[in-house]
Structure formats: structure tokens, C-alpha cells
Short mmCIF file of all heavy atoms in Angstrom, two decimals:
data_model
loop_
_atom_site.label_atom_id
_atom_site.label_comp_id
_atom_site.label_asym_id
_atom_site.label_seq_id
_atom_site.Cartn_x
_atom_site.Cartn_y
_atom_site.Cartn_z
N MET A 208 -7.25 -21.87 -41.21
CA MET A 208 -6.73 -21.35 -39.92
C MET A 208 -6.27 -22.46 -39.01
O MET A 208 -6.99 -23.43 -38.83
CB MET A 208 -7.83 -20.54 -39.27
CG MET A 208 -7.64 -20.01 -37.93
SD MET A 208 -8.92 -19.28 -37.03
CE MET A 208 -8.52 -17.64 -37.28
N GLU A 209 -5.25 -22.26 -38.28
CA GLU A 209 -4.65 -23.25 -37.38
C GLU A 209 -5.07 -22.82 -35.96
O GLU A 209 -5.02 -21.63 -35.62
CB GLU A 209 -3.10 -23.08 -37.52
CG GLU A 209 -2.32 -24.21 -36.85
CD GLU A 209 -0.85 -24.01 -37.28
OE1 GLU A 209 -0.17 -23.10 -36.89
OE2 GLU A 209 -0.42 -24.92 -37.94
N VAL A 210 -5.40 -23.82 -35.12
CA VAL A 210 -5.63 -23.70 -33.83
C VAL A 210 -4.86 -24.63 -32.87
O VAL A 210 -4.38 -25.53 -33.39
CB VAL A 210 -7.18 -23.75 -33.54
CG1 VAL A 210 -8.08 -22.67 -34.15
CG2 VAL A 210 -7.69 -25.15 -33.85
N PHE A 211 -4.81 -24.24 -31.65
CA PHE A 211 -4.19 -25.23 -30.71
C PHE A 211 -5.18 -25.73 -29.65
O PHE A 211 -5.87 -24.85 -29.03
CB PHE A 211 -2.98 -24.45 -29.95
CG PHE A 211 -1.97 -24.10 -31.01
CD1 PHE A 211 -2.10 -22.84 -31.75
CD2 PHE A 211 -0.92 -25.03 -31.32
CE1 PHE A 211 -1.13 -22.53 -32.71
CE2 PHE A 211 0.01 -24.64 -32.33
CZ PHE A 211 -0.12 -23.35 -32.95
N VAL A 212 -5.34 -27.03 -29.57
CA VAL A 212 -6.23 -27.76 -28.64
C VAL A 212 -5.51 -28.16 -27.47
O VAL A 212 -4.45 -28.83 -27.55
CB VAL A 212 -6.88 -28.86 -29.53
CG1 VAL A 212 -7.78 -29.73 -28.53
CG2 VAL A 212 -7.51 -28.42 -30.72
N VAL A 213 -6.07 -27.91 -26.27
CA VAL A 213 -5.51 -28.27 -25.00
C VAL A 213 -6.40 -29.48 -24.43
O VAL A 213 -7.57 -29.36 -24.35
CB VAL A 213 -5.51 -27.15 -23.99
CG1 VAL A 213 -5.01 -27.64 -22.56
CG2 VAL A 213 -4.55 -26.09 -24.34
N LEU A 214 -5.74 -30.55 -24.26
CA LEU A 214 -6.36 -31.77 -23.59
C LEU A 214 -5.83 -32.07 -22.20
O LEU A 214 -4.66 -32.07 -22.13
CB LEU A 214 -6.28 -33.04 -24.49
CG LEU A 214 -6.67 -32.71 -25.95
CD1 LEU A 214 -6.19 -33.92 -26.90
CD2 LEU A 214 -8.22 -32.88 -25.96
N GLY A 215 -6.72 -32.55 -21.39
CA GLY A 215 -6.25 -33.10 -20.14
C GLY A 215 -6.42 -34.56 -20.03
O GLY A 215 -7.56 -35.00 -20.62
N PHE A 216 -5.56 -35.35 -19.59
CA PHE A 216 -5.80 -36.72 -19.63
C PHE A 216 -5.49 -37.47 -18.22
O PHE A 216 -4.68 -37.00 -17.55
CB PHE A 216 -4.83 -37.40 -20.75
CG PHE A 216 -3.37 -37.25 -20.62
CD1 PHE A 216 -2.64 -38.26 -19.86
CD2 PHE A 216 -2.75 -36.18 -21.17
CE1 PHE A 216 -1.31 -38.09 -19.81
CE2 PHE A 216 -1.31 -36.14 -21.18
CZ PHE A 216 -0.61 -37.10 -20.43
N VAL A 217 -6.19 -38.49 -18.13
CA VAL A 217 -6.11 -39.43 -17.04
C VAL A 217 -5.67 -40.73 -17.51
O VAL A 217 -6.28 -41.25 -18.40
CB VAL A 217 -7.31 -39.40 -16.16
CG1 VAL A 217 -7.16 -40.44 -15.04
CG2 VAL A 217 -7.77 -38.11 -15.69
N SER A 218 -4.57 -41.32 -16.95
CA SER A 218 -4.18 -42.68 -17.33
C SER A 218 -5.22 -43.75 -17.33
O SER A 218 -5.94 -43.78 -16.47
CB SER A 218 -2.97 -43.08 -16.50
OG SER A 218 -1.85 -42.33 -16.67
N TYR A 219 -5.26 -44.41 -18.37
CA TYR A 219 -6.22 -45.52 -18.62
C TYR A 219 -7.68 -45.07 -18.62
O TYR A 219 -8.67 -45.81 -18.55
CB TYR A 219 -6.17 -46.47 -17.48
CG TYR A 219 -4.79 -47.06 -17.46
CD1 TYR A 219 -3.84 -46.75 -16.39
CD2 TYR A 219 -4.30 -48.01 -18.44
CE1 TYR A 219 -2.63 -47.20 -16.38
CE2 TYR A 219 -3.06 -48.39 -18.44
CZ TYR A 219 -2.20 -48.09 -17.38
OH TYR A 219 -0.95 -48.61 -17.35
N GLU A 220 -7.91 -43.74 -18.73
CA GLU A 220 -9.48 -43.16 -18.86
C GLU A 220 -9.63 -42.32 -19.99
O GLU A 220 -10.80 -41.87 -20.29
CB GLU A 220 -9.79 -42.47 -17.60
CG GLU A 220 -9.93 -43.36 -16.33
CD GLU A 220 -10.34 -42.65 -15.14
OE1 GLU A 220 -11.03 -41.57 -15.15
OE2 GLU A 220 -10.06 -43.16 -13.90
N GLY A 221 -8.63 -41.94 -20.74
CA GLY A 221 -8.86 -41.11 -21.82
C GLY A 221 -8.42 -39.58 -21.62
O GLY A 221 -8.00 -39.28 -20.48
N SER A 222 -8.99 -38.79 -22.54
CA SER A 222 -8.67 -37.36 -22.24
C SER A 222 -9.89 -36.45 -22.40
O SER A 222 -11.04 -36.94 -22.89
CB SER A 222 -7.65 -36.81 -23.45
OG SER A 222 -8.13 -37.18 -24.70
N THR A 223 -9.83 -35.19 -22.00
CA THR A 223 -10.97 -34.22 -21.97
C THR A 223 -10.52 -33.01 -22.68
O THR A 223 -9.45 -32.49 -22.41
CB THR A 223 -11.25 -33.94 -20.49
OG1 THR A 223 -11.78 -35.18 -19.79
CG2 THR A 223 -12.47 -33.05 -20.40
N LEU A 224 -11.28 -32.50 -23.65
CA LEU A 224 -11.02 -31.23 -24.16
C LEU A 224 -11.16 -30.08 -23.26
O LEU A 224 -12.16 -30.03 -22.59
CB LEU A 224 -11.96 -31.05 -25.43
CG LEU A 224 -11.93 -29.71 -26.04
CD1 LEU A 224 -10.52 -29.49 -26.76
CD2 LEU A 224 -12.97 -29.49 -27.07
N LEU A 225 -10.06 -29.34 -23.05
CA LEU A 225 -10.17 -28.20 -22.08
C LEU A 225 -10.27 -26.88 -22.71
O LEU A 225 -10.76 -25.81 -22.03
CB LEU A 225 -8.92 -28.31 -21.18
CG LEU A 225 -8.80 -29.54 -20.31
CD1 LEU A 225 -7.39 -29.52 -19.60
CD2 LEU A 225 -9.94 -29.58 -19.42
N GLY A 226 -9.87 -26.69 -23.94
CA GLY A 226 -9.87 -25.45 -24.61
C GLY A 226 -9.28 -25.42 -26.03
O GLY A 226 -8.54 -26.31 -26.35
N VAL A 227 -9.75 -24.49 -26.80
CA VAL A 227 -9.10 -24.24 -28.08
C VAL A 227 -8.48 -22.80 -28.18
O VAL A 227 -9.33 -21.88 -27.85
CB VAL A 227 -10.09 -24.51 -29.27
CG1 VAL A 227 -9.54 -24.28 -30.61
CG2 VAL A 227 -10.72 -25.91 -29.16
N TYR A 228 -7.34 -22.69 -28.59
CA TYR A 228 -6.73 -21.35 -28.54
C TYR A 228 -6.04 -20.93 -29.92
O TYR A 228 -5.71 -21.83 -30.78
CB TYR A 228 -5.61 -21.32 -27.54
CG TYR A 228 -6.19 -21.63 -26.14
CD1 TYR A 228 -6.32 -23.00 -25.76
CD2 TYR A 228 -6.81 -20.59 -25.41
CE1 TYR A 228 -6.93 -23.27 -24.44
CE2 TYR A 228 -7.41 -20.93 -24.24
CZ TYR A 228 -7.55 -22.29 -23.81
OH TYR A 228 -8.09 -22.61 -22.61
N HIS A 229 -6.02 -19.70 -30.13
CA HIS A 229 -5.56 -19.10 -31.40
C HIS A 229 -3.94 -19.24 -31.55
O HIS A 229 -3.50 -19.46 -32.73
CB HIS A 229 -5.93 -17.67 -31.46
CG HIS A 229 -5.58 -17.00 -32.81
ND1 HIS A 229 -4.62 -16.22 -32.97
CD2 HIS A 229 -6.25 -17.21 -34.00
CE1 HIS A 229 -4.44 -15.93 -34.27
NE2 HIS A 229 -5.46 -16.39 -34.98
N THR A 230 -3.28 -19.18 -30.43
CA THR A 230 -1.77 -19.29 -30.45
C THR A 230 -1.22 -20.43 -29.56
O THR A 230 -1.94 -20.79 -28.60
CB THR A 230 -1.05 -18.00 -30.23
OG1 THR A 230 -1.39 -17.73 -28.76
CG2 THR A 230 -1.57 -16.89 -31.08
N LEU A 231 -0.15 -20.77 -29.77
CA LEU A 231 0.63 -21.86 -28.97
C LEU A 231 0.86 -21.21 -27.59
O LEU A 231 0.75 -21.88 -26.58
CB LEU A 231 1.81 -22.38 -29.65
CG LEU A 231 2.68 -23.35 -28.89
CD1 LEU A 231 1.81 -24.68 -28.48
CD2 LEU A 231 3.93 -23.72 -29.67
N GLU A 232 1.20 -19.98 -27.70
CA GLU A 232 1.52 -19.26 -26.35
C GLU A 232 0.34 -19.22 -25.54
O GLU A 232 0.43 -19.44 -24.20
CB GLU A 232 2.10 -17.96 -26.65
CG GLU A 232 3.40 -17.88 -27.26
CD GLU A 232 3.43 -18.30 -28.78
OE1 GLU A 232 2.28 -18.06 -29.39
OE2 GLU A 232 4.39 -18.55 -29.32
N ASP A 233 -0.84 -19.02 -26.01
CA ASP A 233 -2.12 -18.91 -25.30
C ASP A 233 -2.40 -20.34 -24.68
O ASP A 233 -3.03 -20.42 -23.56
CB ASP A 233 -3.25 -18.44 -26.12
CG ASP A 233 -3.30 -16.95 -26.44
OD1 ASP A 233 -2.50 -16.16 -25.81
OD2 ASP A 233 -4.04 -16.51 -27.30
N ALA A 234 -2.30 -21.33 -25.62
CA ALA A 234 -2.45 -22.74 -25.05
C ALA A 234 -1.59 -23.06 -23.89
O ALA A 234 -2.00 -23.69 -23.02
CB ALA A 234 -2.25 -23.69 -26.23
N ARG A 235 -0.27 -22.62 -24.16
CA ARG A 235 0.64 -22.96 -22.92
C ARG A 235 0.22 -22.13 -21.69
O ARG A 235 0.36 -22.63 -20.50
CB ARG A 235 1.99 -22.56 -23.33
CG ARG A 235 2.69 -23.46 -24.30
CD ARG A 235 3.96 -22.90 -24.68
NE ARG A 235 4.67 -23.85 -25.67
CZ ARG A 235 5.63 -23.55 -26.51
NH1 ARG A 235 5.99 -22.21 -26.57
NH2 ARG A 235 6.18 -24.30 -27.29
N ALA A 236 -0.24 -20.94 -21.85
CA ALA A 236 -0.75 -20.18 -20.69
C ALA A 236 -1.91 -20.83 -20.04
O ALA A 236 -1.97 -20.88 -18.81
CB ALA A 236 -0.99 -18.71 -21.10
N ALA A 237 -2.77 -21.36 -20.85
CA ALA A 237 -4.02 -22.02 -20.32
C ALA A 237 -3.62 -23.28 -19.49
O ALA A 237 -4.20 -23.52 -18.43
CB ALA A 237 -4.96 -22.42 -21.49
N VAL A 238 -2.68 -24.00 -20.01
CA VAL A 238 -2.09 -25.24 -19.28
C VAL A 238 -1.61 -24.81 -17.82
O VAL A 238 -1.89 -25.42 -16.86
CB VAL A 238 -1.11 -26.06 -20.05
CG1 VAL A 238 -0.51 -27.03 -19.13
CG2 VAL A 238 -1.71 -26.68 -21.28
N ALA A 239 -0.86 -23.73 -17.78
CA ALA A 239 -0.37 -23.10 -16.54
C ALA A 239 -1.52 -22.83 -15.56
O ALA A 239 -1.51 -23.13 -14.41
CB ALA A 239 0.48 -22.04 -16.86
N VAL A 240 -2.60 -22.23 -16.11
CA VAL A 240 -3.81 -21.93 -15.32
C VAL A 240 -4.49 -23.22 -14.78
O VAL A 240 -4.89 -23.36 -13.63
CB VAL A 240 -4.66 -20.98 -16.02
CG1 VAL A 240 -6.04 -20.83 -15.36
CG2 VAL A 240 -4.17 -19.66 -16.29
N TYR A 241 -4.60 -24.18 -15.77
CA TYR A 241 -5.31 -25.38 -15.35
C TYR A 241 -4.51 -26.13 -14.16
O TYR A 241 -5.06 -26.58 -13.36
CB TYR A 241 -5.45 -26.39 -16.53
CG TYR A 241 -6.43 -25.99 -17.63
CD1 TYR A 241 -6.02 -25.81 -18.88
CD2 TYR A 241 -7.77 -25.59 -17.20
CE1 TYR A 241 -7.06 -25.41 -19.94
CE2 TYR A 241 -8.64 -25.24 -18.07
CZ TYR A 241 -8.26 -25.17 -19.52
OH TYR A 241 -9.22 -24.72 -20.35
N ARG A 242 -3.16 -26.11 -14.40
CA ARG A 242 -2.27 -26.85 -13.40
C ARG A 242 -2.46 -26.17 -11.96
O ARG A 242 -2.47 -26.72 -10.99
CB ARG A 242 -0.90 -26.72 -13.78
CG ARG A 242 -0.57 -27.83 -14.78
CD ARG A 242 0.91 -27.99 -15.02
NE ARG A 242 1.22 -29.24 -15.64
CZ ARG A 242 2.27 -29.46 -16.55
NH1 ARG A 242 3.05 -28.37 -16.82
NH2 ARG A 242 2.28 -30.65 -17.02
N SER A 243 -2.52 -24.79 -12.01
CA SER A 243 -2.57 -24.12 -10.74
C SER A 243 -3.96 -24.18 -10.07
O SER A 243 -4.03 -24.25 -8.86
CB SER A 243 -2.16 -22.63 -10.85
OG SER A 243 -2.98 -21.96 -11.68
N GLU A 244 -5.08 -24.09 -10.95
CA GLU A 244 -6.45 -24.17 -10.36
C GLU A 244 -7.03 -25.52 -10.22
O GLU A 244 -7.77 -25.78 -9.33
CB GLU A 244 -7.23 -23.25 -11.28
CG GLU A 244 -6.91 -21.83 -11.16
CD GLU A 244 -7.80 -20.86 -12.11
OE1 GLU A 244 -8.89 -21.39 -12.52
OE2 GLU A 244 -7.43 -19.74 -12.05
N ILE A 245 -6.70 -26.44 -11.14
CA ILE A 245 -7.25 -27.73 -11.05
C ILE A 245 -6.42 -28.70 -10.38
O ILE A 245 -6.89 -29.57 -9.60
CB ILE A 245 -7.51 -28.26 -12.54
CG1 ILE A 245 -8.57 -27.46 -13.17
CG2 ILE A 245 -8.07 -29.72 -12.43
CD1 ILE A 245 -8.84 -27.76 -14.67
N GLY A 246 -5.14 -28.55 -10.41
CA GLY A 246 -4.27 -29.41 -9.55
C GLY A 246 -4.03 -30.71 -10.14
O GLY A 246 -3.68 -30.93 -11.29
N ASP A 247 -4.37 -31.71 -9.34
CA ASP A 247 -4.07 -33.18 -9.71
C ASP A 247 -5.24 -33.96 -10.28
O ASP A 247 -5.32 -35.11 -10.32
CB ASP A 247 -3.67 -33.85 -8.28
CG ASP A 247 -2.39 -33.44 -7.85
OD1 ASP A 247 -1.58 -32.87 -8.61
OD2 ASP A 247 -2.25 -33.47 -6.62
N ASP A 248 -6.29 -33.12 -10.94
CA ASP A 248 -7.43 -33.80 -11.52
C ASP A 248 -6.99 -34.51 -12.81
O ASP A 248 -7.57 -35.50 -13.12
CB ASP A 248 -8.51 -32.82 -11.93
CG ASP A 248 -9.27 -32.40 -10.72
OD1 ASP A 248 -8.94 -32.85 -9.60
OD2 ASP A 248 -10.15 -31.51 -10.91
N TYR A 249 -5.80 -34.16 -13.38
CA TYR A 249 -5.33 -34.69 -14.64
C TYR A 249 -3.91 -35.25 -14.46
O TYR A 249 -3.10 -34.63 -13.65
CB TYR A 249 -5.44 -33.82 -15.83
CG TYR A 249 -6.75 -33.29 -16.22
CD1 TYR A 249 -7.28 -32.14 -15.82
CD2 TYR A 249 -7.64 -34.27 -16.79
CE1 TYR A 249 -8.58 -31.77 -16.10
CE2 TYR A 249 -8.92 -33.88 -17.16
CZ TYR A 249 -9.34 -32.67 -16.88
OH TYR A 249 -10.67 -32.35 -17.12
N ASP A 250 -3.59 -36.44 -15.01
CA ASP A 250 -2.26 -36.99 -15.01
C ASP A 250 -1.21 -36.06 -15.79
O ASP A 250 -0.08 -36.05 -15.60
CB ASP A 250 -2.16 -38.33 -15.27
CG ASP A 250 -2.88 -39.26 -14.45
OD1 ASP A 250 -2.94 -38.92 -13.32
OD2 ASP A 250 -3.44 -40.29 -14.81
N GLY A 251 -1.75 -35.43 -16.77
CA GLY A 251 -0.93 -34.57 -17.74
C GLY A 251 -1.63 -33.92 -18.71
O GLY A 251 -2.97 -34.03 -18.63
N TYR A 252 -1.05 -33.12 -19.54
CA TYR A 252 -1.77 -32.29 -20.48
C TYR A 252 -1.08 -32.51 -21.84
O TYR A 252 -0.01 -32.62 -21.94
CB TYR A 252 -1.79 -30.78 -19.96
CG TYR A 252 -2.48 -30.55 -18.70
CD1 TYR A 252 -1.79 -30.57 -17.56
CD2 TYR A 252 -3.87 -30.25 -18.77
CE1 TYR A 252 -2.48 -30.41 -16.41
CE2 TYR A 252 -4.51 -29.86 -17.54
CZ TYR A 252 -3.93 -30.06 -16.39
OH TYR A 252 -4.51 -29.88 -15.16
N SER A 253 -1.94 -32.15 -22.93
CA SER A 253 -1.43 -32.24 -24.19
C SER A 253 -1.94 -30.97 -25.05
O SER A 253 -2.92 -30.57 -24.86
CB SER A 253 -1.81 -33.49 -24.91
OG SER A 253 -1.58 -33.59 -26.31
N ILE A 254 -0.97 -30.48 -25.93
CA ILE A 254 -1.32 -29.49 -26.76
C ILE A 254 -1.22 -30.11 -28.28
O ILE A 254 -0.23 -30.56 -28.58
CB ILE A 254 -0.66 -28.16 -26.67
CG1 ILE A 254 -0.61 -27.69 -25.29
CG2 ILE A 254 -0.80 -27.10 -27.72
CD1 ILE A 254 0.34 -26.49 -24.91
N GLN A 255 -2.26 -29.92 -29.09
CA GLN A 255 -2.24 -30.36 -30.38
C GLN A 255 -2.60 -29.27 -31.49
O GLN A 255 -3.36 -28.35 -31.00
CB GLN A 255 -3.41 -31.50 -30.58
CG GLN A 255 -3.07 -32.76 -29.84
CD GLN A 255 -4.15 -33.72 -30.04
OE1 GLN A 255 -5.01 -33.58 -30.69
NE2 GLN A 255 -3.86 -34.93 -29.55
N ARG A 256 -1.86 -29.27 -32.49
CA ARG A 256 -2.11 -28.32 -33.57
C ARG A 256 -3.05 -28.87 -34.51
O ARG A 256 -3.04 -29.96 -35.00
CB ARG A 256 -0.81 -28.03 -34.25
CG ARG A 256 -0.91 -27.15 -35.54
CD ARG A 256 0.33 -26.84 -36.12
NE ARG A 256 1.30 -26.07 -35.31
CZ ARG A 256 2.45 -26.43 -34.87
NH1 ARG A 256 2.94 -27.63 -35.09
NH2 ARG A 256 3.18 -25.68 -34.08
N ARG A 257 -4.17 -28.14 -34.83
CA ARG A 257 -5.25 -28.53 -35.68
C ARG A 257 -5.56 -27.42 -36.72
O ARG A 257 -5.46 -26.32 -36.45
CB ARG A 257 -6.45 -28.92 -35.00
CG ARG A 257 -6.39 -30.07 -33.94
CD ARG A 257 -6.15 -31.35 -34.66
NE ARG A 257 -6.04 -32.50 -33.71
CZ ARG A 257 -6.71 -33.63 -33.90
NH1 ARG A 257 -7.49 -33.77 -34.87
NH2 ARG A 257 -6.47 -34.52 -33.00
N VAL A 258 -6.19 -27.82 -37.80
CA VAL A 258 -6.58 -26.92 -38.85
C VAL A 258 -8.06 -26.92 -38.94
O VAL A 258 -8.65 -28.00 -39.16
CB VAL A 258 -5.88 -27.20 -40.21
CG1 VAL A 258 -6.34 -26.31 -41.32
CG2 VAL A 258 -4.29 -27.19 -40.14
N LEU A 259 -8.66 -25.66 -38.82
CA LEU A 259 -10.09 -25.64 -38.94
C LEU A 259 -10.58 -26.07 -40.35
O LEU A 259 -9.84 -25.70 -41.29
CB LEU A 259 -10.59 -24.25 -38.67
CG LEU A 259 -10.52 -23.73 -37.28
CD1 LEU A 259 -10.86 -22.31 -37.07
CD2 LEU A 259 -11.27 -24.70 -36.37
N GLY A 260 -11.64 -26.90 -40.49
CA GLY A 260 -12.23 -27.26 -41.75
C GLY A 260 -11.36 -28.40 -42.43
O GLY A 260 -11.76 -28.85 -43.52
N ALA A 261 -10.36 -28.90 -41.78
CA ALA A 261 -9.63 -30.07 -42.41
C ALA A 261 -10.48 -31.47 -42.23
O ALA A 261 -11.29 -31.40 -41.40
CB ALA A 261 -8.33 -30.25 -41.55
N ARG A 262 -10.17 -32.27 -43.14
CA ARG A 262 -10.85 -33.53 -43.28
C ARG A 262 -10.48 -34.36 -41.95
O ARG A 262 -9.40 -34.08 -41.41
CB ARG A 262 -10.55 -34.27 -44.43
CG ARG A 262 -11.09 -33.77 -45.65
CD ARG A 262 -10.73 -34.46 -46.86
NE ARG A 262 -11.12 -33.88 -48.01
CZ ARG A 262 -12.25 -34.31 -48.73
NH1 ARG A 262 -12.96 -35.37 -48.32
NH2 ARG A 262 -12.62 -33.62 -49.84
N ALA A 263 -11.41 -35.28 -41.52
CA ALA A 263 -11.06 -36.07 -40.31
C ALA A 263 -9.82 -36.95 -40.69
O ALA A 263 -9.64 -37.41 -41.72
CB ALA A 263 -12.31 -37.03 -40.10
N ASP A 264 -8.98 -37.06 -39.55
CA ASP A 264 -7.78 -37.81 -39.68
C ASP A 264 -7.56 -38.40 -38.33
O ASP A 264 -7.42 -37.67 -37.34
CB ASP A 264 -6.58 -36.99 -40.07
CG ASP A 264 -5.33 -37.71 -40.26
OD1 ASP A 264 -5.26 -39.03 -40.02
OD2 ASP A 264 -4.29 -37.07 -40.72
N TRP A 265 -7.45 -39.75 -38.05
CA TRP A 265 -7.51 -40.40 -36.91
C TRP A 265 -6.03 -40.63 -36.34
O TRP A 265 -5.89 -41.22 -35.39
CB TRP A 265 -8.24 -41.72 -37.00
CG TRP A 265 -9.69 -41.47 -37.44
CD1 TRP A 265 -10.28 -41.84 -38.58
CD2 TRP A 265 -10.62 -40.68 -36.57
NE1 TRP A 265 -11.51 -41.41 -38.61
CE2 TRP A 265 -11.79 -40.73 -37.49
CE3 TRP A 265 -10.66 -40.20 -35.48
CZ2 TRP A 265 -12.97 -40.10 -37.06
CZ3 TRP A 265 -12.01 -39.63 -35.00
CH2 TRP A 265 -13.03 -39.58 -35.82
N ASP A 266 -5.02 -40.10 -37.17
CA ASP A 266 -3.69 -40.27 -36.55
C ASP A 266 -3.33 -39.13 -35.58
O ASP A 266 -2.77 -38.17 -36.05
CB ASP A 266 -2.61 -40.27 -37.73
CG ASP A 266 -1.23 -40.42 -37.41
OD1 ASP A 266 -0.99 -40.87 -36.31
OD2 ASP A 266 -0.35 -40.18 -38.24
N GLU A 267 -3.75 -39.40 -34.33
CA GLU A 267 -3.62 -38.33 -33.22
C GLU A 267 -2.09 -38.02 -32.98
O GLU A 267 -1.92 -36.74 -32.73
CB GLU A 267 -4.21 -38.92 -32.00
CG GLU A 267 -5.60 -39.17 -31.94
CD GLU A 267 -6.48 -37.83 -32.03
OE1 GLU A 267 -6.05 -36.81 -31.42
OE2 GLU A 267 -7.43 -37.71 -32.67
N ASP A 268 -1.20 -38.82 -33.19
CA ASP A 268 0.18 -38.44 -32.83
C ASP A 268 0.73 -37.41 -33.85
O ASP A 268 1.54 -36.71 -33.51
CB ASP A 268 1.10 -39.80 -32.99
CG ASP A 268 0.85 -40.75 -31.88
OD1 ASP A 268 0.20 -40.31 -30.88
OD2 ASP A 268 1.04 -42.03 -32.02
N ARG A 269 0.08 -37.38 -35.00
CA ARG A 269 0.62 -36.47 -35.90
C ARG A 269 0.32 -35.05 -35.57
O ARG A 269 1.12 -34.07 -35.98
CB ARG A 269 -0.20 -36.69 -37.23
CG ARG A 269 -0.10 -35.78 -38.37
CD ARG A 269 -0.97 -36.20 -39.47
NE ARG A 269 -1.30 -34.96 -40.26
CZ ARG A 269 -2.00 -35.00 -41.25
NH1 ARG A 269 -2.37 -36.09 -41.82
NH2 ARG A 269 -2.15 -33.86 -41.99
N TYR A 270 -0.68 -34.83 -34.73
CA TYR A 270 -0.90 -33.42 -34.28
C TYR A 270 -0.22 -32.89 -33.10
O TYR A 270 -0.34 -31.73 -32.65
CB TYR A 270 -2.46 -33.27 -34.13
CG TYR A 270 -3.26 -33.64 -35.43
CD1 TYR A 270 -3.90 -34.83 -35.47
CD2 TYR A 270 -3.23 -32.76 -36.47
CE1 TYR A 270 -4.57 -35.21 -36.60
CE2 TYR A 270 -3.93 -33.10 -37.52
CZ TYR A 270 -4.57 -34.30 -37.70
OH TYR A 270 -5.19 -34.47 -38.72
N GLU A 271 0.29 -33.87 -32.31
CA GLU A 271 1.03 -33.60 -31.05
C GLU A 271 2.04 -32.37 -31.05
O GLU A 271 2.96 -32.56 -31.84
CB GLU A 271 1.57 -34.78 -30.55
CG GLU A 271 1.57 -34.85 -28.98
CD GLU A 271 0.23 -34.96 -28.30
OE1 GLU A 271 -0.45 -35.93 -28.72
OE2 GLU A 271 -0.08 -34.19 -27.50
N VAL A 272 1.83 -31.38 -30.35
CA VAL A 272 2.83 -30.31 -30.30
C VAL A 272 3.71 -30.48 -29.03
O VAL A 272 4.88 -30.47 -28.96
CB VAL A 272 2.22 -29.02 -30.33
CG1 VAL A 272 3.25 -27.84 -30.11
CG2 VAL A 272 1.39 -28.76 -31.55
N GLU A 273 2.94 -30.63 -28.00
CA GLU A 273 3.66 -30.83 -26.63
C GLU A 273 2.86 -31.83 -25.72
O GLU A 273 1.65 -31.61 -25.71
CB GLU A 273 3.79 -29.49 -25.89
CG GLU A 273 4.74 -28.57 -26.55
CD GLU A 273 4.86 -27.14 -25.89
OE1 GLU A 273 4.08 -26.90 -24.93
OE2 GLU A 273 5.70 -26.44 -26.20
N LEU A 274 3.52 -32.54 -25.00
CA LEU A 274 2.94 -33.41 -24.01
C LEU A 274 3.60 -32.92 -22.70
O LEU A 274 4.74 -32.99 -22.52
CB LEU A 274 3.31 -34.91 -24.27
CG LEU A 274 2.59 -35.95 -23.53
CD1 LEU A 274 1.06 -35.90 -23.77
CD2 LEU A 274 3.05 -37.35 -23.95
N LEU A 275 2.65 -32.33 -21.82
CA LEU A 275 3.13 -31.66 -20.58
C LEU A 275 2.86 -32.47 -19.45
O LEU A 275 1.89 -33.05 -19.32
CB LEU A 275 2.55 -30.34 -20.46
CG LEU A 275 2.83 -29.50 -21.80
CD1 LEU A 275 1.91 -28.29 -21.80
CD2 LEU A 275 4.24 -29.06 -21.95
#
């Protein structure tokens, strides 16, 4: 099963997991909510595609769907 992970990031401080969603559209909608409700707490957002049960892989760029 494929899921979409939403991360909020702050430059030079790393990222925070904000949610996991079943569809890309739900993940995009969540980012819109975070932007309107949280505002400037994060420098940007990222959506990554992941597969449940997959082996660990440290190549983060491989999973990037959108950098917002």
C-alpha cells in the first residue's frame, strides 16, 4: 500500500512529520490547511510517497513528490 507523508521543515533545523495520507490529493489538502492555520511556523512543506512495509532506504530524495 502506498501512502503520502507530509513534512514541515525549518531551514537548518530539519523536518517534522505532520501527517500520513492515503492519497496525494489528501496530502495536498492537508498542506493547504497547515499553511492557513499554522502560518509561518515552517519554511516549507514536503510530500513524500512511501510504501508500507518496505525495507528501510535512506535515499530521501527518491521519495520526494512535491516540495512546496
Side-chain angles (χ1 to χ4, degrees):
M208 172 186 261
E209 192 174 68
V210 295
F211 296 88
V212 175
V213 174
L214 302 166
F216 62 89
V217 177
S218 297
Y219 305 106
E220 291 187 24
S222 59
T223 301
L224 174 66
L225 299 175
V227 179
Y228 300 91
H229 186 256
T230 66
L231 180 56
E232 293 76 23
D233 288 347
R235 287 176 178 155
V238 170
V240 171
Y241 290 128
R242 282 192 164 146
S243 68
E244 292 184 7
I245 295 175
D247 295 333
D248 284 0
Y249 296 102
D250 293 329
Y252 297 89
S253 170
I254 299 174
Q255 296 182 352
R256 178 180 288 118
R257 298 293 180 132
V258 176
L259 291 179
R262 294 180 182 256
D264 183 353
W265 303 109
D266 184 13
E267 292 291 322
D268 293 337
R269 168 182 158 177
Y270 300 106
E271 207 72 52
V272 176
E273 293 181 347
L274 193 58
L275 308 165

